[in-house]
Amino acid sequence: MASLKLNGVDKIYPSGTTALYDINLETDEKEFIVILGSDGSGKTSLLRVIAGLDELSSGDITVGGKDVTEADPKDRDIAMIFRSNTLSPTMTVFDNLAFGLKIRKAPQTVIEQRVKAAANILGLNEVLYRKPKALTAAQKQRTAIGRAIVREPKLYLFDEPLSGLDENLQAELLNVIVNMQARMEGTFLYTTKNVAEAMTVGTRIVVLKNGFLQQIDTPANLYDYPANAYVAFLIGSPTINFINNAKIIREGETVYAAEGNIKLALPENIVKRFSALQDYVNGDRHIIIGIRPEDMSEGGDIEGAVTGVGEGVAEVEADGHSFTVVSDKLKKGEKTKISCDATRLYLFDGETRLTLLQRDEGYVENGFADSKFVPRTFNEEEEIKEKLKPSKDNKKKKSR
């Protein structure tokens, strides 16, 4: 078994900084899990506590059915590939690849067999007896990856392995990693802040923000059914358009999401998914409307002016809001009218920022309990971070 289970994993530094809070995750064998988030989201911290390089504040870690929470890194059957290669400059590629096996006193025949197999997978046969200074950047990173895979561990942890490489090398190495994962028996955990990268390779994606779990799901489900406004903003390029401080109003039989002069009639599929509709109709509660650029087009009821154009997109100012619209026809400076496909709207509570729309038959169940996770509200996260900070009294005691 090459599965991983995290139960209530916390990493709180003495300063009170929340690196990770109450992380729960369960993987299947041979999954390719992508951990997605911006800098400071907790991606690297998560890999380091799984690998045993950093100590947990609380929680449990199980690998292949074995509790490794207190185990030393060498006893966890995990390999970690860092964003900067850690090759020995005095060793050949062969010896760098063999290093982990040699310190574990593997038989020479096993070392030869595994090193050559890894070199074949990673395209390193021609440089096996060169030293790192004679390698290209891509060959160095391939060697760093190879040093991990020769051990054939249960878990492979990749900490932004493509960071710092140019686009061509990134594409080349990403293809190598994907093909390698298909041939190996282990489970891959791969961190990145590149959304396109995550959406391309992940069987499931773990979205982190400031140490807090936001959502775990397949790429398609994250795009179509974001659990909160943050996930909706993160997933998708160009990023989603938001209309803040909107309200739900009813006029006769029609329900609208409206803000200022922008008034969007909610179609039946959206109303049907809006289970708490009556709590918002003609009341004081605000909502956030989300509209993806690809769901907006020229022609419609929203009057505006084109303030900028890019490759296949245009920026339109309308009623104090800036909308990105997928279009190659609009020209900067011209007046226009735009519309949106209201059947594709996203609605979030203005205070909690959680989705207001239930999943429908379009949601593809993946069989994991993680998919039913409901993230904490924005205010709840802020309260937890504040609570975990050391009190002034404690600081005074430590300084004495």
Side-chain angles (χ1 to χ4, degrees), residues 169-185:
L169 286 181
Q170 286 181 358
E172 175 189 331
L173 278 174
L174 185 60
N175 188 53
V176 168
I177 292 170
V178 170
N179 289 334
M180 181 179 76
Q181 194 266 343
R183 299 171 67 170
M184 308 303 291
E185 292 300 318

Side-chain angles (χ1 to χ4, degrees), residues 1 112 117 121 181 272 292 297 320 386 400:
M1 280 180 69
E112 293 272 351
I121 291 172
Q181 194 266 343
K272 185 178 178 181
R292 294 204 181 275
S297 58
E386 191 62 33
R400 287 173 184 170

